[in-house]
Amino acid sequence: HVSKAGEGWRVKFPLSGITLDGQTWSRGQLGLAWLPGKTESNPSDELRVRASQLQPENLAPLLPLARHFSPEFVDIWQTMQPAGMVDTLALDIPLAHPETLRLQARWSNLSWKQWKLIPGAEHVSGVVGGSLPDGRLSVSTDNAKMPYEKVFRAPLEIAKGNATLRWHNAQDGFWLEGHNIDVSAKAV
């Protein structure tokens, strides 16, 4: 479905029924909008991405296309092999200043494998909101293993874990703040 969005355009289509490499995608939608920047509060053209019920593992067949734009991203994706469900995703990207990207997302039962100093994880649910310069992340996990080679000899077995993180990045520096961090391990 294509429609006007003010001075810009919006494209929206269902994800259900799409099959790539023999995998049928779950129900969900993907929407893209381009909004020209013509106001003082929004001087830059903006790309908006909206998605619901998106399974990261279904995107694997599209990675050869992404390799042309960002080969490092594709290598990271293939190493981490993310899986689970992104319930909702909203990205607002000012094209003249992508570093000020705004985002909101909610996910459930995500998993990924370790990449460098980012440990692997499973059964991760959470929400994120804000922007790249300033935002908040809340995550939880239950009955999960967290492989972290070179730090732990065996995967850390987590009975239950919760954490809320806030970040702020400005000219005066970067800070990261944790709240309500509570992790119960089955064994260490």
Side-chain angles (χ1 to χ4, degrees):
H1 181 255
V2 178
S3 61
K4 288 280 283 172
E7 298 278 324
W9 292 92
R10 179 177 299 138
V11 178
K12 194 175 192 181
F13 55 92
L15 296 176
S16 57
I18 294 176
T19 301
L20 290 173
D21 288 356
Q23 278 191 315
T24 301
W25 288 28
S26 63
R27 68 190 193 287
Q29 289 196 352
L30 179 64
L32 301 171
W34 171 73
L35 304 173
K38 294 198 175 205
T39 64
E40 199 171 302
S41 64
N42 185 22
S44 171
D45 288 359
E46 191 165 277
L47 175 65
R48 293 188 177 175
V49 178
R50 302 292 185 264
S52 65
Q53 303 300 305
L54 185 63
Q55 292 176 281
E57 60 269 32
N58 288 345
L59 300 174
L62 301 174
L63 291 177
L65 295 172
R67 186 168 292 286
H68 297 289
F69 305 104
S70 181
E72 184 178 309
F73 170 79
V74 172
D75 292 341
I76 294 167
W77 187 281
Q78 289 175 328
T79 300
M80 295 184 82
Q81 299 176 18
M85 180 63 71
V86 177
D87 303 308
T88 59
L89 173 68
L91 302 173
D92 295 345
I93 308 163
L95 298 179
H97 299 285
E99 70 278 4
T100 62
L101 173 143
R102 298 177 309 278
L103 68 150
Q104 288 185 345
R106 179 178 302 277
W107 60 90
S108 53
N109 202 30
L110 281 186
S111 65
W112 59 88
K113 294 185 178 181
Q114 181 176 343
W115 175 72
K116 295 189 178 184
L117 294 176
I118 298 175
E122 59 185 19
H123 308 300
V124 178
S125 297
V127 296
V128 66
S131 64
L132 290 184
D134 187 47
R136 177 184 167 139
L137 167 73
S138 294
V139 294
S140 65
T141 188
D142 290 308
N143 195 27
K145 290 184 181 178
M146 180 181 263
Y148 201 17
E149 293 176 11
K150 299 182 182 175
V151 176
F152 301 118
R153 282 190 259 178
L156 182 62
E157 294 186 39
I158 298 173
K160 185 171 186 61
N162 296 294
T164 298
L165 301 174
R166 294 258 354 249
W167 69 87
H168 181 75
N169 191 14
Q171 289 181 334
D172 59 340
F174 176 81
W175 60 259
L176 179 65
E177 181 178 86
H179 296 278
N180 304 318
I181 299 173
D182 184 17
V183 178
S184 301
K186 292 180 181 179
V188 179

